[in-house]
């Protein structure tokens, strides 16, 4: 198993992964502020992070949340997608800038200030926010933090950017891959509210591969559908989130399929990183559904399993309570109208077949083995600074009805999740 | 607020509520067994409970789970619904008799033994099981416990039956109401896996009101749709559950609307009891959705709020993080294709308007008031034997789009929930 024994160990590896492609610079600055909605004695801390291409690029793509009450950053991003060229993104954590009276104006004001400092039209810049919903951005404090953030822009390793965009994330998340003579690098923020369709997740992808804009968008849409939209930490989709891809085009081009393949490799790993670093994640769960007539139904069945609180708590307790898997599948099928046949269903947990031909196969020996298997895949959710290992709980479900399938990732439901979310804002 | 200061206090009230209608007897017996799937040193305990009408009745009705992998009790109940007349039900806790090789045969064997003892055809009896999914019933041990259970059949108060059907329930749940010269009494088991469509919930309703079978079924279906199918503890629907209504017809008839109204009163209170007694429930949450064009969409929007882990954990922590309510609604609307208008949405938490005309109204004063409001509605989930009070967290959502609405009930998500479900089977 891949794993790290200390934060320093992990950061060293990240330094290698986080090298910016040619034609990009990044930085992160800090500020403190007192939210007008909750004046406290201790001020709050916020990071302001920048990712900029050296020149305007016409090659950019995005996937934006489907939440019907999107935040100002999404409203602004929709406008930006109509621009001919863009340069980069300003990201703040702590406050998500959603449904406040002056949300869009606040974001535009910030971008105007940034525009002056970097001499880039504000219309070429994205403003992205993540954090508490419903509070207003501390614009004046943020404006004061812009000059040092701009002054700190640098090439090379951008672990600072990966760290700057974190909210309740335990560790920075970066993945990269070669693509021809160029590279693709992706940063992610996301720890809670992780569900399909870009749910409280920010992903920023920079590449120097030269490719047409339509290909970039097609690749991002296709890869997102099979990676970020196939993970769920708590089934909640957020108001704010997005995946954004920018190419500097400084290096050679590659075939469309090669670019998509490299992008998939990067995003698949990053998606699993997000789950592994989910709020309170004690086990990463991978559900592979096969034997379905339709890929989207297979994915939905897998989601039903990884979103079941009863499945999630059992796995947290290293309890191989496989009855709950069958119940979750039956619940999904019975209430979505998908026709299934119990006698064709088979389920494996790890390498043990626990259900086939309509009945459970449970005995003392496999209960003991299954419990050990779950224990071995467990992580200590209190170790936050780095991924301890890349072990996971594998659940394989075969409906025996067709040739389509899907893989989804999720997490268990732990005391630490409750702890983090019961008073997130303090 | 209604509430009880001790278990004895609550049982006294239950004794009053639990008086069987004319023409019914009930009892509960006990046994110990060693499950073949998990031989342990400590044997498991099981209750066997009986509810019988004195004579065969043609007036019976049911609503059964829609789970696509139903247990043997559901398969059997579907057959029984085709009988001309029935007499009653045998209920066991601890093991749910789902998807085992001999599930239906096991249930039939039990009913044949019971049939001999009470001189009632087995085809007039239901067998109902609740508990662990995937394990086999200890039939031989159960058969040995039948004679004393039958010998203990009694009229009058049936708190023993209400207690006998419990699994992880903290307290027995019974509600009753008058209907003309007769009465309706309903017993419920249910603490986890509570979601719409009869999810891990057993409800047994006995009445001596005289009414036609079709009216009984129509009333039960209608009332279930607006009570038991409008609650959710953890969004999981189970393989086993049912509501069963039997009438002895010993008392006078009432109008169809009066019967439905009395049944609604009983079931509405019982549904809230189930949520209040949910596994680890620290707050009961009532979400009232109005201003929708369609009742079922209003109910689904309410469910999206009470099933959001982030809303649930915030309420557990007495944190008025109302941004999560807006996010859950936007998630629901955006991904179900329901058209909404942010500028028409308004949200109240308790008596405070926290969102209207598209923006949040959050300031220091209402944050403090809201937090106190949540604290006052909190229950101590460690007090298990009786309901401490009937306080709840009221969330009112108005979409401003139409005249339809729905009310749903749910619970928060607590450490105690995790505790109970992380190793339920030990």
């Amino acid at each position: 198993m891949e794993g790290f024994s200390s934060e320093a160990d992990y950061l060293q590896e990240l330094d290698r992964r986080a090298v910016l492609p040619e034609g990009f610079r990044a930085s992160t600055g800090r500020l403190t502020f007192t939210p007008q909605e909750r004046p406290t004695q201790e001020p709050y801390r916020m990071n302001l992070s920048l990712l900029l291409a050296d020149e305007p690029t016409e090659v950019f793509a995005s996937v934006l949340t489907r939440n019907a009450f999107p935040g100002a950053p999404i409203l602004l991003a929709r406008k930006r997608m109509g621009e001919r060229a863009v340069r980069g993104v300003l990201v703040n954590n702590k406050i998500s800038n959603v449904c406040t009276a002056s949300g869009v104006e606040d974001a535009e004001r910030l971008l105007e200030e940034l525009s002056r400092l970097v001499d880039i039209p504000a219309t070429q810049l994205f403003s992205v926010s993540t954090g508490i919903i419903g509070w207003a951005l501390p614009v004046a404090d943020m404006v004061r933090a812009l000059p040092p953030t701009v002054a700190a822009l640098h090439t090379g390793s951008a672990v600072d950017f990966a760290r700057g965009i974190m909210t309740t994330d335990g560790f920075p998340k970066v993945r990269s891959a070669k693509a021809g003579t160029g590279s693709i690098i992706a940063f992610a923020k996301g720890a809670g509210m992780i569900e399909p369709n870009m749910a409280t997740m920010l992903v920023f992808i920079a590449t120097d591969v030269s490719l047409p804009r339509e290909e970039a968008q097609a690749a991002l849409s296709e890869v997102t559908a099979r990676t970020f939209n196939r993970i769920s930490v708590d089934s909640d989709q957020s108001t704010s989130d997005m995946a954004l891809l920018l190419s500097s085009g400084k290096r050679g081009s590659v075939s469309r399929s090669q670019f998509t393949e490299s992008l998939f490799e990067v995003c698949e790993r990053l998606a699993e990183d997000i789950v592994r670093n989910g709020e309170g994640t004690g086990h990463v769960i991978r559900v592979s559904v096969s034997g379905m007539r339709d890929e989207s139904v297979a994915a939905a069945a897998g989601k039903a399993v990884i979103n079941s609180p009863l499945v999630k708590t059992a796995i947290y307790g290293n309890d191989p309570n496989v009855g709950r898997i069958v119940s979750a599948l039956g619940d999904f099928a019975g209430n979505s109208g998908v026709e299934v046949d119990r006698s064709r269903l088979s389920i494996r947990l790890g390498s043990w077949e626990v259900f086939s031909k309509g009945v459970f196969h449970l005995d003392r020996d496999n209960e003991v083995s299954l419990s050990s298997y779950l224990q071995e895949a467990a992580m200590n959710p209190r170790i936050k600074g780095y991924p301890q290992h890349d072990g996971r709980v594998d659940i394989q479900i075969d409906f025996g009805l067709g040739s389509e399938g899907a893989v989804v990732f999720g997490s268990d439901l732990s005391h630490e999740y409750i702890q983090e979310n019961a008073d997130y804002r303090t």
Side-chain angles (χ1 to χ4, degrees), chain A residues 359-376:
Chain A
V359 298
F360 287 97
H361 306 295
L362 300 176
D363 59 40
R364 181 188 194 157
D365 288 347
N366 71 13
E367 287 255 335
V368 170
S369 307
L370 288 167
S371 188
S372 305
Y373 171 70
L374 295 176
Q375 262 158 31
E376 276 164 31

mmCIF file with all atom_site columns, all heavy atoms in Angstrom, chain A residues 359-376:
data_model
loop_
_atom_site.group_PDB
_atom_site.id
_atom_site.type_symbol
_atom_site.label_atom_id
_atom_site.label_alt_id
_atom_site.label_comp_id
_atom_site.label_asym_id
_atom_site.label_entity_id
_atom_site.label_seq_id
_atom_site.pdbx_PDB_ins_code
_atom_site.Cartn_x
_atom_site.Cartn_y
_atom_site.Cartn_z
_atom_site.occupancy
_atom_site.B_iso_or_equiv
_atom_site.pdbx_formal_charge
_atom_site.auth_seq_id
_atom_site.auth_comp_id
_atom_site.auth_asym_id
_atom_site.auth_atom_id
_atom_site.pdbx_PDB_model_num
ATOM 1   N N   . VAL A 1 359 ? -29.372 -15.707 -1.737 1.00 0.00 ? 359 VAL A N   1
ATOM 2   C CA  . VAL A 1 359 ? -29.215 -15.898 -0.285 1.00 0.00 ? 359 VAL A CA  1
ATOM 3   C C   . VAL A 1 359 ? -27.819 -15.476 0.207  1.00 0.00 ? 359 VAL A C   1
ATOM 4   O O   . VAL A 1 359 ? -26.856 -15.434 -0.547 1.00 0.00 ? 359 VAL A O   1
ATOM 5   C CB  . VAL A 1 359 ? -29.478 -17.371 0.135  1.00 0.00 ? 359 VAL A CB  1
ATOM 6   C CG1 . VAL A 1 359 ? -30.907 -17.774 -0.177 1.00 0.00 ? 359 VAL A CG1 1
ATOM 7   C CG2 . VAL A 1 359 ? -28.498 -18.314 -0.515 1.00 0.00 ? 359 VAL A CG2 1
ATOM 8   N N   . PHE A 1 360 ? -27.759 -15.186 1.490  1.00 0.00 ? 360 PHE A N   1
ATOM 9   C CA  . PHE A 1 360 ? -26.507 -14.827 2.136  1.00 0.00 ? 360 PHE A CA  1
ATOM 10  C C   . PHE A 1 360 ? -25.650 -16.063 2.387  1.00 0.00 ? 360 PHE A C   1
ATOM 11  O O   . PHE A 1 360 ? -26.173 -17.154 2.590  1.00 0.00 ? 360 PHE A O   1
ATOM 12  C CB  . PHE A 1 360 ? -26.794 -14.181 3.497  1.00 0.00 ? 360 PHE A CB  1
ATOM 13  C CG  . PHE A 1 360 ? -27.350 -12.793 3.387  1.00 0.00 ? 360 PHE A CG  1
ATOM 14  C CD1 . PHE A 1 360 ? -28.714 -12.571 3.449  1.00 0.00 ? 360 PHE A CD1 1
ATOM 15  C CD2 . PHE A 1 360 ? -26.500 -11.704 3.217  1.00 0.00 ? 360 PHE A CD2 1
ATOM 16  C CE1 . PHE A 1 360 ? -29.230 -11.290 3.352  1.00 0.00 ? 360 PHE A CE1 1
ATOM 17  C CE2 . PHE A 1 360 ? -27.012 -10.423 3.111  1.00 0.00 ? 360 PHE A CE2 1
ATOM 18  C CZ  . PHE A 1 360 ? -28.380 -10.214 3.181  1.00 0.00 ? 360 PHE A CZ  1
ATOM 19  N N   . HIS A 1 361 ? -24.332 -15.851 2.357  1.00 0.00 ? 361 HIS A N   1
ATOM 20  C CA  . HIS A 1 361 ? -23.411 -16.907 2.779  1.00 0.00 ? 361 HIS A CA  1
ATOM 21  C C   . HIS A 1 361 ? -22.631 -16.376 3.962  1.00 0.00 ? 361 HIS A C   1
ATOM 22  O O   . HIS A 1 361 ? -21.587 -15.750 3.793  1.00 0.00 ? 361 HIS A O   1
ATOM 23  C CB  . HIS A 1 361 ? -22.447 -17.277 1.653  1.00 0.00 ? 361 HIS A CB  1
ATOM 24  C CG  . HIS A 1 361 ? -23.149 -17.626 0.400  1.00 0.00 ? 361 HIS A CG  1
ATOM 25  N ND1 . HIS A 1 361 ? -23.970 -18.736 0.315  1.00 0.00 ? 361 HIS A ND1 1
ATOM 26  C CD2 . HIS A 1 361 ? -23.215 -17.018 -0.802 1.00 0.00 ? 361 HIS A CD2 1
ATOM 27  C CE1 . HIS A 1 361 ? -24.484 -18.791 -0.910 1.00 0.00 ? 361 HIS A CE1 1
ATOM 28  N NE2 . HIS A 1 361 ? -24.046 -17.758 -1.598 1.00 0.00 ? 361 HIS A NE2 1
ATOM 29  N N   . LEU A 1 362 ? -23.173 -16.547 5.128  1.00 0.00 ? 362 LEU A N   1
ATOM 30  C CA  . LEU A 1 362 ? -22.537 -16.014 6.325  1.00 0.00 ? 362 LEU A CA  1
ATOM 31  C C   . LEU A 1 362 ? -22.284 -17.151 7.291  1.00 0.00 ? 362 LEU A C   1
ATOM 32  O O   . LEU A 1 362 ? -23.178 -17.930 7.595  1.00 0.00 ? 362 LEU A O   1
ATOM 33  C CB  . LEU A 1 362 ? -23.464 -14.984 6.990  1.00 0.00 ? 362 LEU A CB  1
ATOM 34  C CG  . LEU A 1 362 ? -23.843 -13.778 6.134  1.00 0.00 ? 362 LEU A CG  1
ATOM 35  C CD1 . LEU A 1 362 ? -24.833 -12.909 6.868  1.00 0.00 ? 362 LEU A CD1 1
ATOM 36  C CD2 . LEU A 1 362 ? -22.608 -12.977 5.757  1.00 0.00 ? 362 LEU A CD2 1
ATOM 37  N N   . ASP A 1 363 ? -21.063 -17.263 7.725  1.00 0.00 ? 363 ASP A N   1
ATOM 38  C CA  . ASP A 1 363 ? -20.788 -18.221 8.789  1.00 0.00 ? 363 ASP A CA  1
ATOM 39  C C   . ASP A 1 363 ? -19.713 -17.636 9.673  1.00 0.00 ? 363 ASP A C   1
ATOM 40  O O   . ASP A 1 363 ? -19.179 -16.560 9.411  1.00 0.00 ? 363 ASP A O   1
ATOM 41  C CB  . ASP A 1 363 ? -20.402 -19.589 8.225  1.00 0.00 ? 363 ASP A CB  1
ATOM 42  C CG  . ASP A 1 363 ? -19.171 -19.505 7.339  1.00 0.00 ? 363 ASP A CG  1
ATOM 43  O OD1 . ASP A 1 363 ? -18.232 -18.756 7.686  1.00 0.00 ? 363 ASP A OD1 1
ATOM 44  O OD2 . ASP A 1 363 ? -19.149 -20.176 6.303  1.00 0.00 ? 363 ASP A OD2 1
ATOM 45  N N   . ARG A 1 364 ? -19.408 -18.350 10.711 1.00 0.00 ? 364 ARG A N   1
ATOM 46  C CA  . ARG A 1 364 ? -18.468 -17.839 11.692 1.00 0.00 ? 364 ARG A CA  1
ATOM 47  C C   . ARG A 1 364 ? -17.133 -17.475 11.061 1.00 0.00 ? 364 ARG A C   1
ATOM 48  O O   . ARG A 1 364 ? -16.588 -16.406 11.308 1.00 0.00 ? 364 ARG A O   1
ATOM 49  C CB  . ARG A 1 364 ? -18.265 -18.924 12.753 1.00 0.00 ? 364 ARG A CB  1
ATOM 50  C CG  . ARG A 1 364 ? -17.333 -18.472 13.812 1.00 0.00 ? 364 ARG A CG  1
ATOM 51  C CD  . ARG A 1 364 ? -16.994 -19.613 14.746 1.00 0.00 ? 364 ARG A CD  1
ATOM 52  N NE  . ARG A 1 364 ? -16.368 -19.077 15.929 1.00 0.00 ? 364 ARG A NE  1
ATOM 53  C CZ  . ARG A 1 364 ? -16.336 -19.686 17.075 1.00 0.00 ? 364 ARG A CZ  1
ATOM 54  N NH1 . ARG A 1 364 ? -16.919 -20.856 17.222 1.00 0.00 ? 364 ARG A NH1 1
ATOM 55  N NH2 . ARG A 1 364 ? -15.749 -19.130 18.100 1.00 0.00 ? 364 ARG A NH2 1
ATOM 56  N N   . ASP A 1 365 ? -16.612 -18.365 10.212 1.00 0.00 ? 365 ASP A N   1
ATOM 57  C CA  . ASP A 1 365 ? -15.280 -18.137 9.643  1.00 0.00 ? 365 ASP A CA  1
ATOM 58  C C   . ASP A 1 365 ? -15.229 -16.886 8.782  1.00 0.00 ? 365 ASP A C   1
ATOM 59  O O   . ASP A 1 365 ? -14.332 -16.065 8.928  1.00 0.00 ? 365 ASP A O   1
ATOM 60  C CB  . ASP A 1 365 ? -14.837 -19.346 8.812  1.00 0.00 ? 365 ASP A CB  1
ATOM 61  C CG  . ASP A 1 365 ? -14.481 -20.534 9.695  1.00 0.00 ? 365 ASP A CG  1
ATOM 62  O OD1 . ASP A 1 365 ? -14.347 -20.325 10.923 1.00 0.00 ? 365 ASP A OD1 1
ATOM 63  O OD2 . ASP A 1 365 ? -14.364 -21.645 9.153  1.00 0.00 ? 365 ASP A OD2 1
ATOM 64  N N   . ASN A 1 366 ? -16.201 -16.740 7.888  1.00 0.00 ? 366 ASN A N   1
ATOM 65  C CA  . ASN A 1 366 ? -16.092 -15.547 7.043  1.00 0.00 ? 366 ASN A CA  1
ATOM 66  C C   . ASN A 1 366 ? -16.426 -14.276 7.810  1.00 0.00 ? 366 ASN A C   1
ATOM 67  O O   . ASN A 1 366 ? -15.904 -13.217 7.508  1.00 0.00 ? 366 ASN A O   1
ATOM 68  C CB  . ASN A 1 366 ? -16.820 -15.693 5.694  1.00 0.00 ? 366 ASN A CB  1
ATOM 69  C CG  . ASN A 1 366 ? -18.314 -15.696 5.782  1.00 0.00 ? 366 ASN A CG  1
ATOM 70  O OD1 . ASN A 1 366 ? -18.891 -15.355 6.804  1.00 0.00 ? 366 ASN A OD1 1
ATOM 71  N ND2 . ASN A 1 366 ? -18.960 -16.089 4.696  1.00 0.00 ? 366 ASN A ND2 1
ATOM 72  N N   . GLU A 1 367 ? -17.233 -14.348 8.839  1.00 0.00 ? 367 GLU A N   1
ATOM 73  C CA  . GLU A 1 367 ? -17.478 -13.153 9.665  1.00 0.00 ? 367 GLU A CA  1
ATOM 74  C C   . GLU A 1 367 ? -16.174 -12.664 10.309 1.00 0.00 ? 367 GLU A C   1
ATOM 75  O O   . GLU A 1 367 ? -15.894 -11.467 10.336 1.00 0.00 ? 367 GLU A O   1
ATOM 76  C CB  . GLU A 1 367 ? -18.507 -13.445 10.768 1.00 0.00 ? 367 GLU A CB  1
ATOM 77  C CG  . GLU A 1 367 ? -19.930 -13.571 10.253 1.00 0.00 ? 367 GLU A CG  1
ATOM 78  C CD  . GLU A 1 367 ? -20.801 -12.357 10.557 1.00 0.00 ? 367 GLU A CD  1
ATOM 79  O OE1 . GLU A 1 367 ? -20.503 -11.640 11.530 1.00 0.00 ? 367 GLU A OE1 1
ATOM 80  O OE2 . GLU A 1 367 ? -21.762 -12.123 9.808  1.00 0.00 ? 367 GLU A OE2 1
ATOM 81  N N   . VAL A 1 368 ? -15.397 -13.595 10.797 1.00 0.00 ? 368 VAL A N   1
ATOM 82  C CA  . VAL A 1 368 ? -14.124 -13.231 11.431 1.00 0.00 ? 368 VAL A CA  1
ATOM 83  C C   . VAL A 1 368 ? -13.164 -12.657 10.384 1.00 0.00 ? 368 VAL A C   1
ATOM 84  O O   . VAL A 1 368 ? -12.541 -11.613 10.593 1.00 0.00 ? 368 VAL A O   1
ATOM 85  C CB  . VAL A 1 368 ? -13.512 -14.465 12.146 1.00 0.00 ? 368 VAL A CB  1
ATOM 86  C CG1 . VAL A 1 368 ? -12.084 -14.174 12.594 1.00 0.00 ? 368 VAL A CG1 1
ATOM 87  C CG2 . VAL A 1 368 ? -14.381 -14.872 13.331 1.00 0.00 ? 368 VAL A CG2 1
ATOM 88  N N   . SER A 1 369 ? -13.085 -13.325 9.214  1.00 0.00 ? 369 SER A N   1
ATOM 89  C CA  . SER A 1 369 ? -12.191 -12.838 8.157  1.00 0.00 ? 369 SER A CA  1
ATOM 90  C C   . SER A 1 369 ? -12.610 -11.458 7.664  1.00 0.00 ? 369 SER A C   1
ATOM 91  O O   . SER A 1 369 ? -11.773 -10.578 7.437  1.00 0.00 ? 369 SER A O   1
ATOM 92  C CB  . SER A 1 369 ? -12.205 -13.795 6.956  1.00 0.00 ? 369 SER A CB  1
ATOM 93  O OG  . SER A 1 369 ? -11.921 -15.103 7.374  1.00 0.00 ? 369 SER A OG  1
ATOM 94  N N   . LEU A 1 370 ? -13.928 -11.269 7.491  1.00 0.00 ? 370 LEU A N   1
ATOM 95  C CA  . LEU A 1 370 ? -14.422 -9.992  6.979  1.00 0.00 ? 370 LEU A CA  1
ATOM 96  C C   . LEU A 1 370 ? -14.143 -8.864  7.959  1.00 0.00 ? 370 LEU A C   1
ATOM 97  O O   . LEU A 1 370 ? -13.781 -7.758  7.573  1.00 0.00 ? 370 LEU A O   1
ATOM 98  C CB  . LEU A 1 370 ? -15.932 -10.087 6.709  1.00 0.00 ? 370 LEU A CB  1
ATOM 99  C CG  . LEU A 1 370 ? -16.322 -10.937 5.494  1.00 0.00 ? 370 LEU A CG  1
ATOM 100 C CD1 . LEU A 1 370 ? -17.821 -11.225 5.502  1.00 0.00 ? 370 LEU A CD1 1
ATOM 101 C CD2 . LEU A 1 370 ? -15.929 -10.238 4.207  1.00 0.00 ? 370 LEU A CD2 1
ATOM 102 N N   . SER A 1 371 ? -14.301 -9.153  9.220  1.00 0.00 ? 371 SER A N   1
ATOM 103 C CA  . SER A 1 371 ? -14.052 -8.127  10.224 1.00 0.00 ? 371 SER A CA  1
ATOM 104 C C   . SER A 1 371 ? -12.573 -7.728  10.220 1.00 0.00 ? 371 SER A C   1
ATOM 105 O O   . SER A 1 371 ? -12.247 -6.540  10.297 1.00 0.00 ? 371 SER A O   1
ATOM 106 C CB  . SER A 1 371 ? -14.506 -8.643  11.589 1.00 0.00 ? 371 SER A CB  1
ATOM 107 O OG  . SER A 1 371 ? -14.448 -7.606  12.519 1.00 0.00 ? 371 SER A OG  1
ATOM 108 N N   . SER A 1 372 ? -11.681 -8.694  10.096 1.00 0.00 ? 372 SER A N   1
ATOM 109 C CA  . SER A 1 372 ? -10.244 -8.374  10.005 1.00 0.00 ? 372 SER A CA  1
ATOM 110 C C   . SER A 1 372 ? -9.954  -7.557  8.751  1.00 0.00 ? 372 SER A C   1
ATOM 111 O O   . SER A 1 372 ? -9.159  -6.614  8.773  1.00 0.00 ? 372 SER A O   1
ATOM 112 C CB  . SER A 1 372 ? -9.397  -9.652  9.922  1.00 0.00 ? 372 SER A CB  1
ATOM 113 O OG  . SER A 1 372 ? -9.675  -10.491 10.987 1.00 0.00 ? 372 SER A OG  1
ATOM 114 N N   . TYR A 1 373 ? -10.612 -7.934  7.652  1.00 0.00 ? 373 TYR A N   1
ATOM 115 C CA  . TYR A 1 373 ? -10.427 -7.203  6.391  1.00 0.00 ? 373 TYR A CA  1
ATOM 116 C C   . TYR A 1 373 ? -10.796 -5.731  6.558  1.00 0.00 ? 373 TYR A C   1
ATOM 117 O O   . TYR A 1 373 ? -10.066 -4.835  6.119  1.00 0.00 ? 373 TYR A O   1
ATOM 118 C CB  . TYR A 1 373 ? -11.292 -7.872  5.316  1.00 0.00 ? 373 TYR A CB  1
ATOM 119 C CG  . TYR A 1 373 ? -11.383 -7.105  4.018  1.00 0.00 ? 373 TYR A CG  1
ATOM 120 C CD1 . TYR A 1 373 ? -10.287 -6.998  3.175  1.00 0.00 ? 373 TYR A CD1 1
ATOM 121 C CD2 . TYR A 1 373 ? -12.580 -6.492  3.636  1.00 0.00 ? 373 TYR A CD2 1
ATOM 122 C CE1 . TYR A 1 373 ? -10.375 -6.282  1.987  1.00 0.00 ? 373 TYR A CE1 1
ATOM 123 C CE2 . TYR A 1 373 ? -12.675 -5.790  2.446  1.00 0.00 ? 373 TYR A CE2 1
ATOM 124 C CZ  . TYR A 1 373 ? -11.573 -5.691  1.627  1.00 0.00 ? 373 TYR A CZ  1
ATOM 125 O OH  . TYR A 1 373 ? -11.657 -4.992  0.445  1.00 0.00 ? 373 TYR A OH  1
ATOM 126 N N   . LEU A 1 374 ? -11.923 -5.474  7.226  1.00 0.00 ? 374 LEU A N   1
ATOM 127 C CA  . LEU A 1 374 ? -12.358 -4.088  7.443  1.00 0.00 ? 374 LEU A CA  1
ATOM 128 C C   . LEU A 1 374 ? -11.376 -3.356  8.357  1.00 0.00 ? 374 LEU A C   1
ATOM 129 O O   . LEU A 1 374 ? -11.050 -2.186  8.128  1.00 0.00 ? 374 LEU A O   1
ATOM 130 C CB  . LEU A 1 374 ? -13.768 -4.056  8.034  1.00 0.00 ? 374 LEU A CB  1
ATOM 131 C CG  . LEU A 1 374 ? -14.882 -4.602  7.122  1.00 0.00 ? 374 LEU A CG  1
ATOM 132 C CD1 . LEU A 1 374 ? -16.227 -4.618  7.849  1.00 0.00 ? 374 LEU A CD1 1
ATOM 133 C CD2 . LEU A 1 374 ? -14.991 -3.775  5.840  1.00 0.00 ? 374 LEU A CD2 1
ATOM 134 N N   . GLN A 1 375 ? -10.921 -4.037  9.372  1.00 0.00 ? 375 GLN A N   1
ATOM 135 C CA  . GLN A 1 375 ? -9.955  -3.416  10.285 1.00 0.00 ? 375 GLN A CA  1
ATOM 136 C C   . GLN A 1 375 ? -8.676  -3.003  9.572  1.00 0.00 ? 375 GLN A C   1
ATOM 137 O O   . GLN A 1 375 ? -8.126  -1.936  9.839  1.00 0.00 ? 375 GLN A O   1
ATOM 138 C CB  . GLN A 1 375 ? -9.608  -4.382  11.423 1.00 0.00 ? 375 GLN A CB  1
ATOM 139 C CG  . GLN A 1 375 ? -10.407 -4.100  12.695 1.00 0.00 ? 375 GLN A CG  1
ATOM 140 C CD  . GLN A 1 375 ? -10.483 -5.301  13.612 1.00 0.00 ? 375 GLN A CD  1
ATOM 141 O OE1 . GLN A 1 375 ? -9.567  -6.113  13.653 1.00 0.00 ? 375 GLN A OE1 1
ATOM 142 N NE2 . GLN A 1 375 ? -11.571 -5.422  14.341 1.00 0.00 ? 375 GLN A NE2 1
ATOM 143 N N   . GLU A 1 376 ? -8.230  -3.861  8.666  1.00 0.00 ? 376 GLU A N   1
ATOM 144 C CA  . GLU A 1 376 ? -6.981  -3.552  7.951  1.00 0.00 ? 376 GLU A CA  1
ATOM 145 C C   . GLU A 1 376 ? -7.115  -2.337  7.042  1.00 0.00 ? 376 GLU A C   1
ATOM 146 O O   . GLU A 1 376 ? -6.143  -1.625  6.797  1.00 0.00 ? 376 GLU A O   1
ATOM 147 C CB  . GLU A 1 376 ? -6.524  -4.759  7.117  1.00 0.00 ? 376 GLU A CB  1
ATOM 148 C CG  . GLU A 1 376 ? -5.731  -5.739  7.953  1.00 0.00 ? 376 GLU A CG  1
ATOM 149 C CD  . GLU A 1 376 ? -5.613  -7.095  7.273  1.00 0.00 ? 376 GLU A CD  1
ATOM 150 O OE1 . GLU A 1 376 ? -5.589  -7.129  6.026  1.00 0.00 ? 376 GLU A OE1 1
ATOM 151 O OE2 . GLU A 1 376 ? -5.565  -8.112  7.996  1.00 0.00 ? 376 GLU A OE2 1
#
